[in-house]
């Protein structure tokens, strides 16, 4: 999919604020691609598309999980977790976006997972640090990325904060997020 077509697709589908967030994630991801030696086009496209299913109906998301044999554990979660894997599936099967890097980047942008691919790592982090994000600790993550250039440590710190947030809110935790935490705890330097 061309960037222009992707931008149009997202602009038509999502509320203005979410569209603008998507563009900021894409721009941040493209900048990070330059730092970490990733494919800029893939990073930009994955950034644009990552939240495509953000506001889809939960029932239809569950139908995608079943129809395309996605991880059945997802059926215990809400759209906050599901919108990634569902958007990746819709892009692959309904919009002809066949690229594996983009698929994984969209699919796991909320959960993370162990041994993420480079584009996948970049989207996971870019979503957290795009310029309008102002959650506590985001400045530290930006420093890890743009000054220390330590992507794995940034992933670890983001996952740790995500887990803390979920625990504080008494929310369930997806196995893959815990596995992500354990893996990047092990490999970070
Ligand atoms: Fe998202
Ligand atoms: Fe996002």
């Amino acid at each position: 999919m061309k960037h222009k077509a992707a931008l149009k697709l997202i602009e038509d589908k999502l509320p203005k604020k979410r569209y603008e967030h998507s563009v900021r994630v894409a721009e941040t991801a493209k900048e990070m691609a330059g730092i970490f030696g990733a494919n800029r086009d893939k990073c930009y496209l994955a950034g644009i598309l990552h939240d495509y299913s953000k506001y889809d109906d939960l029932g239809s998301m569950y139908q995608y999980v079943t129809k395309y044999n996605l991880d059945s554990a997802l059926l215990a979660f809400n759209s906050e977790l599901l919108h990634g894997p569902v958007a990746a599936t819709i892009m692959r099967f309904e919009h002809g976006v066949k690229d594996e890097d983009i698929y994984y980047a969209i699919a796991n942008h909320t959960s993370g997972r162990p041994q993420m691919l480079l584009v996948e790592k970049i989207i996971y982090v870019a979503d957290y640090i795009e310029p309008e994000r102002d959650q506590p600790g985001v400045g530290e993550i930006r420093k890890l990325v743009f000054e220390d250039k330590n992507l794995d440590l940034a992933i670890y710190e983001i996952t740790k904060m995500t887990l803390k947030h979920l625990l504080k809110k008494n929310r369930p935790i997806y196995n893959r997020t815990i596995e992500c935490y354990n893996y990047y705890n092990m490999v970070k330097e």
Side-chain angles (χ1 to χ4, degrees):
M1 189 184 291
K2 295 272 190 339
H3 292 179
K4 214 174 152 188
L7 284 162
K8 174 91 172 74
L9 182 71
I10 298 305
E11 191 173 20
D12 290 347
K13 163 105 173 168
L14 297 180
K16 189 162 180 281
K17 277 195 158 183
R18 186 56 51 172
Y19 167 72
E20 290 168 352
H21 158 74
S22 305
V23 174
R24 289 192 301 269
V25 171
E27 295 287 351
T28 304
K30 198 166 81 175
E31 186 182 351
M32 289 175 65
I35 296 173
F36 297 104
N39 181 305
R40 284 168 189 265
D41 283 335
K42 287 188 190 188
C43 285
Y44 189 85
L45 192 53
I48 291 296
L49 298 173
H50 81 285
D51 273 341
Y52 176 85
S53 292
K54 183 84 181 174
Y55 306 107
D56 285 2
D57 165 71
L58 189 59
S60 86
M61 291 199 202
Y62 288 151
Q63 284 176 5
Y64 278 102
V65 173
T66 310
K67 182 176 174 191
Y68 291 100
N69 278 318
L70 307 184
D71 181 6
S72 60
L74 290 167
L75 296 171
F77 292 86
N78 67 17
S79 62
E80 189 52 45
L81 183 68
L82 274 149
H83 74 276
V86 169
T89 303
I90 291 174
M91 286 306 137
R92 176 181 271 183
F93 293 104
E94 297 179 8
H95 291 276
V97 183
K98 302 290 181 200
D99 186 84
E100 290 265 300
D101 290 322
I102 295 173
Y103 176 83
Y104 284 108
I106 299 173
N108 299 311
H109 80 265
T110 306
S111 64
R113 65 162 181 149
Q115 294 183 283
M116 286 192 275
L117 306 175
L118 183 55
V119 176
E120 188 179 6
K121 287 179 178 184
I122 286 174
I123 296 301
Y124 183 74
V125 175
D127 191 28
Y128 201 86
I129 65 169
E130 59 93 337
E132 295 287 309
R133 296 286 202 198
D134 61 356
Q135 68 277 38
V138 71
E140 284 301 305
I141 307 292
R142 288 190 184 114
K143 183 177 169 292
L144 287 176
V145 171
F146 297 112
E147 292 177 35
D148 305 343
K149 302 181 178 18
N150 191 334
L151 195 52
D152 286 350
L153 186 54
I155 290 167
Y156 172 71
E157 293 296 342
I158 289 169
T159 309
K160 193 164 79 177
M161 285 195 247
T162 300
L163 287 171
K164 280 184 185 171
H165 172 79
L166 291 169
L167 289 167
K168 201 172 154 198
K169 299 266 176 187
N170 295 305
R171 300 262 296 280
I173 295 172
Y174 185 40
N175 285 359
R176 213 172 267 182
T177 305
I178 298 170
E179 289 164 10
C180 179
Y181 172 82
N182 288 340
Y183 179 81
Y184 287 97
N185 183 9
M186 182 174 69
V187 302
K188 71 180 165 53
E189 284 172 12

